[in-house]
């Protein structure tokens, strides 16, 4: 029983970490697009 709980916890933590990585990647892309817009406006 303890092994099943530990496995479930590990899977939930892994899923959370992967979701966080995707979120950060999306945020990075948004910041990059914003920077590109500022650069284009400056030219």
């Amino acid at each position: 029983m303890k092994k099943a709980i530990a496995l479930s916890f590990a899977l939930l933590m892994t899923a959370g970490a992967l979701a966080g990585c995707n979120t950060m990647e999306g945020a990075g892309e948004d910041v990059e697009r914003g920077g590109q817009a500022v650069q284009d406006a400056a030219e």
Side-chain angles (χ1 to χ4, degrees), residues 1-33:
M1 183 68 177
K2 287 183 182 181
K3 193 173 187 178
I5 292 172
L7 180 60
S8 296
F9 181 73
L11 289 173
L12 285 172
M13 293 301 291
T14 302
L18 290 174
C21 289
N22 289 336
T23 301
M24 290 304 294
E25 183 179 343
E29 290 173 1
D30 291 342
V31 169
E32 185 177 354
R33 279 190 220 122

